[in-house]
Each structure stands twice: as C-alpha cells, then as structure tokens.
Amino acid sequence: MNTHMDDDLTYLYSQLQIASMAFVLQHSDVDWAYNVQRTDSAGLGTRNGTFWPRGRTLGGSGAINSMMYVRGNRRDYERWKNLGNPEWGWEDVLPYFRKSENMNIPHLARGAGAKYHRTGGYLNVEQRIDNTALNGVFKQATIELGYEWIEDFNLDRHIGYGSSQHTMIGPTRCSPAKAFLTPIRTRENLHVIKHALVGRVLIDERNVATGVSFVIDGSQRVLQATARREVIVAAGAINTPQLLMLSGVGRADELQQFDIPVKVDLNVGGNLQDHVAVPLFYKFYNLSDSNTDDLFAQMDELYKYAVLNQSQAIVRAGILDTMGFLNTKNASDPFPDLQVITIGLPKGGRYSAVLANNFELSETISASVQEVDRFTPALHVLLTALNPKSRGRVKLGSTKPRDHPIIEANYFENSDDLNVIVQGIRLQQRLFQTKTFKTAGATLHRIDIPGCRDQVYDTDEYWECYVRQLTITTYHPVGTAKMGPATDPDAVVDSRLRVRGVRGLRVVDASIMPLLVSGNTNAPTIMIGELASDFIKHDHADL
C-alpha cells in the first residue's frame, strides 16, 4: 500500500477491498481462473463447473487468498510420516512453522505458546480487531451452545470456535512475496523475471534436469535458463503437474496421446484433493451494524491508516474473527472433520453480488443469493469438509503451456464427503435456537435452486441436493505430485521432494502433500518451503 497517497478515497477503497476481501482479486489478471470439470454429482448450480482461482503473480495464491493462518494438527503430519515420509511428523515440521513466523500477538508467543510460536520471522501473523455486531452475535451464539472458545487453533486444541489468525500487517496483506522476497530483493544472487511463462523443464538424455525454457510477455521467442545444481518447481497443485507432464514426466499413456517423449512414467496429476465446501447465508433483521453498514465509514477507516498513520484503524468488511472446527461424527474426538468460516456482508447488496459472481452461479441462484444482504446485514458461512476421501486428477488439455489443463475434482465421488457437509448444516441450524440468534432476528436465507424444487425443504435429501448444486471450493487443491516412498506406486517425489527418476529436479509446493491437512493450506505450504530449503542446503553442502 502507498502510505504517501493524498485523499484519493477511490484508490483507498480499492486497497480496502484488496486488504480485506480476497474475492475482488478472483477473475482478475492475477488469477489463472480455472474451472473443474462438471459432473452429475457436484457443481450443478454453477455456469461452468466449480470455479478455482489460483494466484498468477508474485506470492502465488498466497497473494490473492483470504490470508488465514492455520497449520492443521498433529494427526495430519503423523499420517504423512506413517505413509513413509520420515522427515514430516508433527515434531519434525513444527520448527519450520516457527521459523517463518513473526507472531504479532505477544501473549500467544509466551508461556505454553512459546513451543508453537515465535517472533522475528519474515511472515507476520496477527488477529484482526473485530468488534462488529455480526462477529459478536455469532461468537456469543456458539458459546451459548456450549462450544469451547479456543483462542489459538495452532496449539494442541482444535474442536470448538475461536479467533482466527491472518497473514497481515495491520489491514494490509502479508503475502509470501511481501514476507520473503521484499526483504532480500537487493541480493546479488537473486534475479526475478516477471511475466515469464515456463514451457517445460529441460531434461537431458541422462534424465538430469538442466534448466527450463520460457517466454516473456507472450513473446514467441523461447529463452532458456540453465541450472548448475538443480531445478525447483513451485508452480502449485495445478501448474506443477501440467509443467511436469509437458516435460515428459507423467503417465506414459497420457503423454503418448500428445506425442510427448516419456522421460519417467509417474502418476503425475493423480491424488488430487481439495476442501470441498458449501455456502450458507444468514440474515439478521434486528441487527444494525454501524461498523459495516456505511461504505464511507469503511473508507474513512482506511484513510486514517494510510494517510494519518493511525494503525488501529482496521477495516472490518470480509472474513470475521470467529472460525470453527467441529467433528460431525463424534463431538469428543479431538480432531475435526469440518471447518466453519464466517464472512460478514454489510447490508446494501454489494458483497453478495461479488460472491455470486465469483461462485459463477446460474442466473436464478445468483439472483437469489444477491437478496441476502440487500436490506439486512448478513453472514456468509462456509462449511468445509476437511478430510476428503474423494480423489481427482489433473490432465493435460493440450501441449500448449498457456492452455488450461483439465481438472477433474471428482467431488463427492465418496459419499462420506457429502455426509460431513450435510451434518455440518444440521449443526449450524442449532444456532437459530439460541437466544442470541433469536434476539438478533436471525433467519437462514432460503436460496431458490431450480434443481431442488422437487425436494421437501429441510429434509436430508433436500440438503444433499443443495450441496450438489452449490458446490464450491475453499481454494485448497493439493496432492498432484504426491510425496511417498519408492514402494508407493502413486508417489511422484521422495520424502526430500526429489522427483523420482530425474536427477536435479525437486518440487516444493502444495502438490507434494500426500494427504490434505485439516485446515487452510497457505501456512503448511510455506512450511514445506522452509523444510525444503534445509534439504537443499544439506544436499549441496559445498554451496
């Protein structure tokens, strides 16, 4: 953010949007803007199949996400280790979460929290100051229902509702690029080429990665960069498998369809997992929220931050402070299978229109969603199935790097994922029986879904239909270059992230996750980068 701007409130409000709502960056020129293949079981109420934004800028998806800092839990990483990845247990990865972090919530980094948090890292982590009426009502209702209030989900307790943490500096985004690139941008051994598209990894006849070929700004001239030590691919769970396959690393039968010479036959693009989700919308007829109702009040707060340097002026539209992790099958289980994310919508209809556009909903459903905040403040509640059993695949669409690959999410291939979300809806409905919600005049907004009109409202069958129609993503695709031992036929990289069968080629991004973690993936992906950097330093000790 430019802290020397004058009173150009139009500019400031655009920065407010960028700082507080990632949704405005979707469908922009910094988004790859993918869609998954439509199926008969999911995304039926969307125009093009479920929309998948992916970052196309410095900082990757961490530059366009909702900035939530969630690590997952001990069980997630012990599962990775038990699959044959000895360096990836909870006690192994925890120091690398801490290594990155500047925990800017002082009391969380002291006492028992010192084992889990530190100050002094590049990545700033904060909690938002969120005293909105919407947040207060939601928080009070969860406490009234008897849920434990958890101040820090990144410790060792996970079931309940609590305060979320964000990769922010005040009201501004702390993206991976801002955190890690900006401080070292003047180093002589760092050279960043922007607007470059890599077409393939160069692999010689000995199966050694020697560099990459790329073009800049859409030019037809193909350039090459050579590697003295190794090539590191960090393009994410969609672009990494696409690049590997274009380079001859992938399933032989698929590569041969495109006349790509096969370097190594590996299950690249398989094992795709994502946090499938569904939105609910709550209206509050008795709630007047002066902090979010007034557009000009929001602009004034950002003006105070950017121009007057009043650092406590925090914009409050967007992701709320309150978040939940629940277990839909066993309330006493210490590990969740459902995540609840809350997003405040001031009355006036502006934000629901953005949501409906980004979800790419069909015309009738979109119009119905846009009624939720027209006359009242509202909540958009995102229910996410955390440990999906369904598996998808990324395939080549063509041999052209600019063409989108084919993404088969296969949502609800396993019905357990559908059941988790339906049971999550039932848990959410309990909120409407609380005194807090009744006093606030809360109602569940009933969306007009043509495909569900034949179902009896509020039956399990109706909600199953609802979920299949309004299938969205929590933006967490992983697994398409799976990490695993040599005995795992689906493994693409070993536990030190080296591509099997190719020397000098390593993958360092979310695609290596063998199983999806129980939470947002930005913090775990940064941890992967930190641990991989030590692998690289160890493997090249003579550097």
Side-chain angles (χ1 to χ4, degrees):
M1 180 178 294
N2 186 344
T3 58
H4 302 291
M5 291 293 294
D6 56 16
D7 58 348
D8 184 349
L9 293 183
T10 301
Y11 172 84
L12 290 176
Y13 189 63
S14 73
Q15 295 304 300
L16 175 155
Q17 299 273 30
I18 292 172
S20 64
M21 289 194 72
F23 302 110
V24 298
L25 297 175
Q26 298 173 18
H27 294 96
S28 73
D29 59 2
V30 296
D31 178 14
W32 283 102
Y34 293 126
N35 289 90
V36 305
Q37 295 293 297
R38 186 191 304 277
T39 69
D40 294 334
S41 60
L44 300 177
T46 63
R47 298 192 304 271
N48 304 301
T50 301
F51 174 65
W52 277 19
R54 294 285 86 199
R56 190 181 184 183
T57 183
L58 289 177
S61 295
I64 69 168
N65 67 355
S66 295
M67 300 167 283
M68 302 185 79
Y69 184 82
V70 180
R71 296 172 175 177
N73 58 56
R74 174 183 294 273
R75 183 178 64 175
D76 294 330
Y77 300 98
E78 291 303 307
R79 285 175 171 174
W80 290 14
K81 183 176 182 177
N82 292 336
L83 287 173
N85 303 294
E87 299 93 338
W88 295 87
W90 173 243
E91 297 298 334
D92 301 300
V93 303
L94 180 58
Y96 291 94
F97 279 113
R98 294 181 71 253
K99 182 180 179 182
S100 294
E101 186 182 43
N102 180 48
M103 172 50 72
N104 203 16
I105 312 165
H107 69 279
L108 294 186
R110 295 195 295 262
K115 175 182 177 182
Y116 300 90
H117 297 295
R118 71 175 285 253
T119 60
Y122 285 127
L123 186 70
N124 201 72
V125 178
E126 297 185 359
Q127 285 173 330
R128 300 178 68 229
I129 300 172
D130 197 341
N131 59 2
T132 59
L134 284 170
N135 190 66
V137 165
F138 193 84
K139 176 180 177 180
Q140 184 58 40
T142 64
I143 294 172
E144 186 179 335
L145 281 176
Y147 286 108
E148 180 179 357
W149 184 259
I150 298 175
E151 188 174 16
D152 185 354
F153 284 110
N154 290 317
L155 300 185
D156 55 1
R157 297 184 68 81
H158 308 285
I159 298 295
Y161 287 86
S163 296
S164 57
Q165 297 169 12
H166 300 264
T167 52
M168 301 176 69
I169 303 175
T172 66
R173 176 185 296 275
C174 186
S175 72
K178 185 174 183 178
F180 298 99
L181 276 180
T182 298
I184 64 167
R185 64 187 182 278
T186 60
R187 286 186 183 176
E188 292 184 358
N189 64 347
L190 174 66
H191 184 66
V192 177
I193 302 175
K194 296 191 293 185
H195 310 294
L197 179 67
V198 175
R200 63 188 178 98
V201 178
L202 304 175
I203 302 174
D204 67 17
E205 64 281 356
R206 300 169 300 155
N207 268 20
V208 176
T210 60
V212 297
S213 64
F214 63 100
V215 296
I216 299 178
D217 282 331
S219 168
Q220 298 302 310
R221 182 187 177 194
V222 178
L223 305 174
Q224 292 187 358
T226 58
R228 290 188 298 115
R229 302 281 181 162
E230 60 180 66
V231 174
I232 300 169
V233 177
I238 308 304
N239 298 85
T240 282
Q242 180 188 25
L243 177 59
L244 291 177
M245 287 186 281
L246 290 174
S247 307
V249 180
R251 296 178 301 279
D253 57 347
E254 181 175 353
L255 300 184
Q256 288 163 359
Q257 291 176 19
F258 291 95
D259 295 323
I260 298 174
V262 180
K263 293 291 185 177
V264 189
D265 185 359
L266 295 173
N267 189 31
V268 171
N271 192 49
L272 175 63
Q273 301 159 59
D274 181 43
H275 280 149
V276 63
V278 68
L280 295 178
F281 297 94
Y282 307 163
K283 294 195 247 188
F284 294 87
Y285 285 96
N286 299 339
L287 191 65
S288 177
D289 191 347
S290 60
N291 286 327
T292 57
D293 282 353
D294 192 337
L295 169 64
F296 292 99
Q298 295 180 48
M299 293 166 64
D300 183 59
E301 289 203 20
L302 192 67
Y303 178 83
K304 290 176 182 178
Y305 173 82
V307 179
L308 303 182
N309 200 29
Q310 295 178 10
S311 60
Q312 294 305 309
I314 303 296
V315 178
R316 298 180 178 90
I319 299 290
L320 297 186
D321 173 69
T322 299
M323 177 173 64
F325 287 94
L326 311 176
N327 191 295
T328 63
K329 301 180 181 67
N330 180 1
S332 64
D333 192 314
F335 299 109
D337 64 1
L338 182 85
Q339 183 178 10
V340 181
I341 299 172
T342 55
I343 300 172
L345 307 179
K347 72 179 181 182
R350 294 183 299 272
Y351 291 93
S352 63
V354 173
L355 288 172
N357 177 67
N358 285 347
F359 295 158
E360 296 188 354
L361 299 175
S362 63
E363 184 175 353
T364 299
I365 297 175
S366 176
S368 183
V369 167
Q370 292 181 60
E371 291 298 316
V372 66
D373 59 350
R374 190 175 300 278
F375 302 111
T376 67
L379 276 180
H380 164 218
V381 179
L382 189 68
L383 303 182
T384 301
L386 286 178
N387 306 126
K389 296 181 180 178
S390 302
R391 294 291 183 269
R393 183 176 294 281
V394 174
K395 298 179 178 180
L396 286 179
S398 79
T399 58
K400 298 177 181 178
R402 294 188 185 281
D403 290 350
H404 284 190
I406 297 169
I407 304 172
E408 297 175 348
N410 290 342
Y411 288 140
F412 309 128
E413 176 190 54
N414 189 306
S415 61
D416 283 357
D417 302 338
L418 178 69
N419 294 335
V420 166
I421 295 180
V422 171
Q423 292 308 307
I425 293 172
R426 295 303 190 193
L427 291 177
Q428 285 295 293
Q429 287 179 316
R430 296 175 59 208
L431 292 167
F432 293 90
Q433 305 306 312
T434 63
K435 180 180 178 181
T436 304
F437 260 40
K438 289 179 179 179
T439 301
T443 63
L444 182 61
H445 180 59
R446 183 169 176 177
I447 300 172
D448 182 10
I449 306 174
C452 298
R453 288 172 180 166
D454 293 338
Q455 300 293 332
V456 178
Y457 183 71
D458 202 31
T459 60
D460 283 353
E461 291 75 18
Y462 171 83
W463 289 117
E464 288 177 5
C465 178
Y466 179 101
V467 173
R468 292 187 188 279
Q469 291 280 332
L470 270 70
T471 313
I472 61 175
T473 175
T474 319
Y475 321 114
H476 300 158
V478 307
T480 50
K482 181 184 180 183
M483 172 175 64
T487 54
D488 183 348
D490 291 326
V492 175
V493 301
D494 65 15
S495 64
R496 298 177 73 84
L497 311 189
R498 297 168 297 200
V499 175
R500 298 193 175 281
V502 182
R503 285 190 292 139
L505 182 59
R506 200 180 308 247
V507 174
V508 183
D509 59 34
S511 67
I512 66 93
M513 294 187 190
L515 293 171
L516 192 49
V517 297
S518 303
N520 306 68
T521 52
N522 192 44
T525 303
I526 292 170
M527 175 276 293
I528 289 168
E530 290 283 14
L531 183 49
S533 70
D534 270 8
F535 292 158
I536 294 165
K537 287 185 287 187
H538 180 271
D539 291 350
H540 303 285
D542 57 331
L543 283 174

